[in-house]
Structures are given as structure tokens and as C-alpha cells.
Amino acid sequence: MIRIVIAEDQQMLRGALTALLKFEADIEVVAEVSDGQAAWEVIQSEQPDVCLLDIEMPFMNGLELAEKIRTDALLQSCKVVIVTTFARPGYLQKAIDAKVDGYLLKDEPIDYLIESIRKVIKGERVISMDLAATLFMKEENPLSLRETEVLRLAKSGLTTSEICNELFLTKGTVRNYLSSAIQKLESETRQQAINTAVQKGWI
Amino acid sequence: MIRIVIAEDQQMLRGALTALLKFEADIEVVAEVSDGQAAWEVIQSEQPDVCLLDIEMPFMNGLELAEKIRTDALLQSCKVVIVTTFARPGYLQKAIDAKVDGYLLKDEPIDYLIESIRKVIKGERVISMDLAATLFMKEENPLSLRETEVLRLAKSGLTTSEICNELFLTKGTVRNYLSSAIQKLESETRQQAINTAVQKGWI
DNA sequence: AAAAGCTTATGACACATGTCATAAGCTACA
DNA sequence: TGTAGCTTATGACATGTGTCATAAGCTTTT
């Protein structure tokens, strides 16, 4: 019997997945939760064979959670499958770094998900077809730590002076970071830079 | 027998819904499609009792589709239920204008969806609890047509001069529109104005 | 030890952005 | 027939933004 925990914040999808997985004779859904914190608690207490994790969840996202599971000595045999809407290279990279066993898009059929669960139990790794392509086309995030930070703040609508107050930098420095971020992302304005960075999953 | 068409672009959720609705004795899923255009075609040919429509779909969104269904003489008896992730007042307003029969969030349990299908068939209207609240707290979109247009273009990263080329206006005019949009949205920069407008579903 | 790259900073320049006052033409509504 | 609101426009002003040259201190890698 494959024991599974489902962490997905969208109730309709979570309920539907749980309902359908219950029809599989070899699968048992031991818990279904809607946020990262609750997921972490139930994973520790239940020690499931497989965790299905959404990325965007309250309190703790699926990638951070995957990282925590991988570095916990008691959870070495627990397989991790990320299930997400987003085909962002940045997300995929983080998932690979966290050594997840599967990375599926919500745009896959459920049968593929079920099949994938059985595969990761056997020690195989699974990845959505669409994503296998982005793996090869993968672009490294060209932004430095500070550039990323500054751009993230710019995204939330802060002006240069507000950003420099936030990070205890001078205006000039912040403008320099934004300038180089804009150039690295081949954009012309901060807005465009923000758009591409979001789209690539870099901020 | 209640005949249903499901239009939802996320395959996993669409498949799950279809699978679960098939267990209901009084419900028949006559078609499931992944974009607005395909939905429109199948709705015309199948004449279903109920359409479940996602909002964000390729080719035609669910709100435009709802509008088309409501204005088609042959589809007067077809009930429309919007099922979406987003609790944006702007979306809800458009849905109400299109006289939809139901507006549910994907954050509801499936049982509620099934129950809602039976209710709209009886002529009732259904709306998610969370949304009933926003209905009362509803804020009117304070932006004029032009202001909305200009802000939408700004959102995609265009500079003032690019926007004025796009709309055949002078730079000064575009700046005035942005300025008044920023003030109406109680923001300080175009970026902040864009953020709040997106969040309210106004652009 | 040298090279490369990140972090921080300054000053200067050109241009973009946001505000304000003002105004003319238009539509819709009372 | 006003009056209100939208659309369009101009000029002026202050401030914000993006680029460039330059540089010092720091860590990491070769």
C-alpha cells in the first residue's frame, strides 16, 4: 500500500485528487492539507511514502517544504512529487536542487499523476514532457543576490528611494542595481525587467 | 438527466471534475474542452443544460463566453456557472452583468459544486460565500476607458512614448491619464497603480 | 598572486515620469 | 440649457529613472 499526503491549497482540486486516488487499490491517502505548515507537521507524524506538493501555498511553499523533507534524516525514504501550474525554469531548478522525485504540471491528466506515483515508488524520476524541454533550454538566472532583491522590491511598487530605505543603501546604488538588472534581462524599463524576471521565475 | 459541458483549461482539474461528475446518477458530462473557442462550438451543437466555465482560458475567456451564451436566442435555457480561482470584484461584476446563474471559487469543495449544479437547474442562483461578502464591499472601477487602456499597456512594460504611439495620442495626454489613474487608485507610481488595478480585477 | 565577480558608492548627464493649471470639443443627463 | 464627465491637448516644473565612468573593499576561484 502506497501511503500518500496531498498538500494543495485549492480545495476543489485537492478534494478531486483525493477522491480519485481512493479508487486506486494500492494507494491510500493518509492526509490532505491546504498549506505548507500543516503539510510539514503531518508528514513528520505520518511518515508517508509519497508527498504530492503544490508550489504556491500559504505559510510555506512546496519548494521550501521539499528542501526540508530532503534534509530531514527521518524522511530519507519519503518520495517528493511537485505538482504545479507553472512551467517556470526557476522553479524547476530549485526543485532539481532539492532532489525531488517528480515534477508534474497540473496540465497533465490524472492518470499520468497516478502512474507517476507508482514510478517514484520504484525509484524512478518523473517529469512532465513540456518541462523536459525547458530543462535543456534552461537559462541561468543572471541576476546577483542584490539585483534580485532590489527587483523584487521594485515589483511590489516601491520607488527607488523606498527601496534604498528598505535595504539601507544609497539611492545611487539602488539605481545601479536596477540598471544592471534591466540590462541583464535585456529590457528597457524596470517594469519590463520585472515582467521577464517573474515569467522566468527568478523573483 | 442534467446535461453538462465543462470548459476548463487545466487538464488535471478538468479530468478530475469530469470523472467525479460521472458518478452522479442525474448528471451527464456531454463534453469537456480546454478553451473558450471549442467551448462555444460544442455548446451550440450540444445545447447543454448547464455550462461550467473557467474564466482564464485561451482564445475566449469565460466571461466573454457567458455574455455570448446569454445573448444567443437558442441558448436561453442554458444555465451558466463560472468556476474560477479569482475572487476579483471586477470579474464578479462582469459575471453579474452577463446574468450568470452561478459564480464559484475553485476553493470550494466539489460537493458544493455538484449541489450548485442542481440548484441552478431549479432556477436558483448560487455564489461562493467569500464572494457574497465582496459583493457588498464591492468598489466601482473608478477608471475611465482611456485610463484603463493606458494602464493596461503600462502593465505590459511599455514606456509613455510607446503607449502614445500605440494609441495615437501625445505624450502629455498619456502622462495625464497615468497621473489621474495613479491618483484615483491612491498610488504613487505607475507600478503601484498597476498592482492595485490587477488585484481588483480592473485591468 | 592574479583574475573575476559581487557589493557598495559617487557624480554627472539625458530623458522619463508625475503634477498642476488650463482649455476646447464632445456626449449624456436632468 | 446647463452641468457633469470624458477625451484630448499644451506648457512648465520638480523629481525619478537609467546610463556611464570610476573606484575601493571583499570573496572565490584559478
Side-chain angles (χ1 to χ4, degrees):
Chain A
M1 192 66 115
I2 304 172
R3 302 175 68 253
I4 292 187
V5 165
I6 299 179
E8 157 67 53
D9 74 328
Q10 200 176 280
Q11 153 105 36
M12 199 170 277
L13 182 59
R14 186 176 74 247
L17 287 180
T18 306
L20 290 174
L21 287 177
K22 279 184 179 158
F23 288 106
E24 301 303 313
D26 56 340
I27 292 176
E28 182 191 358
V29 179
V30 294
E32 47 157 323
V33 295
S34 63
D35 70 82
Q37 188 54 48
W40 178 232
E41 284 160 20
V42 80
I43 287 166
Q44 287 182 296
S45 65
E46 290 290 340
Q47 301 269 327
D49 302 310
V50 180
C51 308
L52 295 189
L53 309 180
D54 188 12
I55 292 189
E56 307 206 337
M57 287 188 291
F59 306 126
M60 197 192 319
N61 78 43
L63 293 172
E64 290 168 323
L65 188 48
E67 187 66 45
K68 272 186 105 137
I69 293 168
R70 268 306 95 97
T71 54
D72 187 304
L74 297 171
L75 295 167
Q76 285 313 297
S77 66
C78 177
K79 306 293 183 181
V80 174
V81 177
I82 298 283
V83 182
T84 180
T85 311
F86 306 104
R88 296 190 182 143
Y91 280 180
L92 183 53
Q93 186 56 55
K94 282 185 199 125
I96 289 168
D97 292 344
K99 298 198 190 338
V100 306
D101 301 280
Y103 193 111
L104 305 183
L105 294 178
K106 288 185 188 172
D107 212 0
E108 298 282 350
I110 301 230
D111 290 344
Y112 185 62
L113 171 64
I114 295 171
E115 193 188 309
S116 299
I117 290 169
R118 298 201 177 108
K119 276 188 177 162
V120 298
I121 280 292
K122 284 191 225 155
E124 288 177 56
R125 296 213 154 177
V126 290
I127 185 168
S128 285
M129 278 300 178
D130 293 355
L131 281 168
T134 48
L135 243 192
F136 292 106
M137 292 187 298
K138 183 189 62 143
E139 292 169 72
E140 274 306 313
N141 181 350
L143 302 177
S144 73
L145 225 170
R146 272 314 211 195
E147 286 158 358
T148 307
E149 235 170 334
V150 166
L151 200 57
R152 207 197 321 269
L153 290 175
K155 180 189 159 201
S156 63
L158 301 190
T159 63
T160 307
S161 14
E162 289 167 326
I163 294 170
C164 79
N165 286 330
E166 197 75 24
L167 300 177
F168 306 107
L169 296 173
T170 61
K171 275 189 192 189
T173 306
V174 171
R175 281 196 289 158
N176 286 339
Y177 283 137
L178 276 169
S179 179
S180 68
I182 288 166
Q183 287 184 292
K184 283 179 178 177
L185 300 179
E186 291 169 308
S187 308
E188 255 125 39
T189 63
R190 60 176 72 191
Q191 178 63 51
Q192 272 171 42
I194 289 164
N195 287 165
T196 61
V198 166
Q199 188 249 309
K200 302 268 190 185
W202 290 333
I203 58 174
Chain B
M1 191 64 116
I2 305 171
R3 300 175 69 251
I4 293 188
V5 165
I6 299 178
E8 157 66 52
D9 74 329
Q10 201 176 279
Q11 154 105 35
M12 199 170 277
L13 182 60
R14 187 177 73 246
L17 288 180
T18 307
L20 291 175
L21 288 177
K22 279 185 180 159
F23 288 107
E24 302 301 313
D26 56 340
I27 293 175
E28 182 191 359
V29 179
V30 295
E32 48 156 322
V33 295
S34 63
D35 70 81
Q37 189 53 47
W40 178 231
E41 285 161 21
V42 81
I43 288 166
Q44 287 182 295
S45 65
E46 290 290 340
Q47 301 270 327
D49 302 310
V50 179
C51 308
L52 295 189
L53 307 181
D54 187 13
I55 292 188
E56 306 207 337
M57 288 187 290
F59 307 126
M60 196 191 322
N61 77 44
L63 294 171
E64 291 169 322
L65 188 49
E67 187 65 46
K68 273 187 102 138
I69 293 170
R70 268 306 96 98
T71 55
D72 188 304
L74 298 171
L75 296 168
Q76 285 314 297
S77 65
C78 177
K79 306 291 183 183
V80 173
V81 176
I82 298 283
V83 182
T84 179
T85 309
F86 307 103
R88 297 192 181 140
Y91 279 180
L92 182 55
Q93 186 56 54
K94 284 187 198 123
I96 290 169
D97 293 344
K99 299 198 192 339
V100 305
D101 302 280
Y103 192 109
L104 305 184
L105 294 178
K106 288 185 188 171
D107 213 0
E108 298 284 349
I110 301 227
D111 290 344
Y112 185 64
L113 171 65
I114 295 171
E115 192 187 313
S116 300
I117 291 169
R118 299 201 177 106
K119 276 187 177 161
V120 299
I121 280 293
K122 285 189 227 155
E124 289 177 56
R125 295 216 156 175
V126 289
I127 186 168
S128 285
M129 278 300 177
D130 293 356
L131 281 168
T134 50
L135 242 192
F136 292 105
M137 292 187 298
K138 182 187 65 142
E139 292 168 73
E140 274 306 314
N141 181 350
L143 303 176
S144 73
L145 223 169
R146 273 314 213 194
E147 286 158 358
T148 307
E149 235 170 333
V150 166
L151 201 57
R152 207 196 322 268
L153 290 174
K155 180 188 158 202
S156 64
L158 300 191
T159 62
T160 308
S161 12
E162 288 167 327
I163 294 170
C164 79
N165 286 330
E166 197 75 26
L167 300 177
F168 306 105
L169 296 173
T170 61
K171 275 190 194 190
T173 306
V174 170
R175 280 195 290 160
N176 287 339
Y177 283 138
L178 276 169
S179 181
S180 68
I182 288 167
Q183 288 184 291
K184 284 179 178 177
L185 301 179
E186 291 168 308
S187 308
E188 255 124 40
T189 63
R190 59 177 72 190
Q191 178 63 50
Q192 271 171 43
I194 289 164
N195 287 164
T196 60
V198 166
Q199 187 250 308
K200 302 266 190 187
W202 291 334
I203 58 173

